[in-house]
Amino acid sequence: TLCDDLRFDEYRVPPLVIQSFEGDVLEYLRAKFKERWMDFVEEDAILASGVVESVDEGVNNDEVDHPWIPPLVLLVGYDYCQSTEFWFEVAKLPLAGLGPDKRCLLPTTEEIALNNTSAIARAKREAREWVGKAHSERIAVHPWTVRLEIESERHVGGVPPIFSSAEDELRYYFCELHVDGIFSENVALAQMVGAEGCDVYSTEKKDPKVGKSGPLCIQEEKNLWFLGLSMLAVGGFVGSVLTCTISTMLQKRGMCGANSVQHAQVQRSDSDQLPEIDTALEDEENEMI
């Protein structure tokens, strides 16, 4: 019934699975299936084939894995899964799986509404223990039902507020609680989440809180990208401003230097010219003499 060593795409779905909210009904159907097949196959032949191991007389045979009895799954309501006698009743039934109401594995509506983080953490821990208890009895866990709508008065049983989407909720069941299957109204989405695996999922970072959306690890990754792009844009702008400022200063210095040199050359050329001699005055003086 449990397939811990199989990938999601390696599991072979049984041709028939029987589910019921009533344990007595499952007991009745199990007996009828056994009677039907025993009409065609002798029990001695089954034991001789080695498919089902024989047991001592007086000891109840474990027929959960009987090859001609389909897997039996007990569907569990919220009130029943929280009762003290629940696990005692489960131990009496030859079950292959449990199908609990997903509320059995979630914080209460009041705890979520109050954003009681300690109560939410406690509820998640108890949910992991619940699934672990079932696995210790070789019983698979298939909670029901994941819907695409967000929980509201109009959509009872939708995605609880501690999750941002049905995909986020599915990751919680698969990766944190390690359930074996799921009842989902969107089979393609459930298959996609199961195929992705839980390598990027971290229970330490993954602590859903009311008002937050999406996995924290994905939010941090996006924030880092936005921060990097912002710093790149600011750096480019500052670099452009500095480049223009420095270029303008250098151009101004070059023009001032050129003007100074030209002015000095003009003054030097004027000083290099000799003063003209008044020869007319000198001729008049010679005539007078």
Side-chain angles (χ1 to χ4, degrees), residues 42-55:
E42 293 294 332
E43 188 172 0
D44 291 340
I46 300 175
L47 297 176
S49 66
V51 177
V52 180
E53 296 181 358
S54 60
V55 294

Side-chain angles (χ1 to χ4, degrees), residues 161-172:
I162 57 174
F163 305 114
S164 62
S165 62
E167 183 178 352
D168 193 19
E169 183 183 5
L170 284 167
R171 287 198 182 96
Y172 165 74

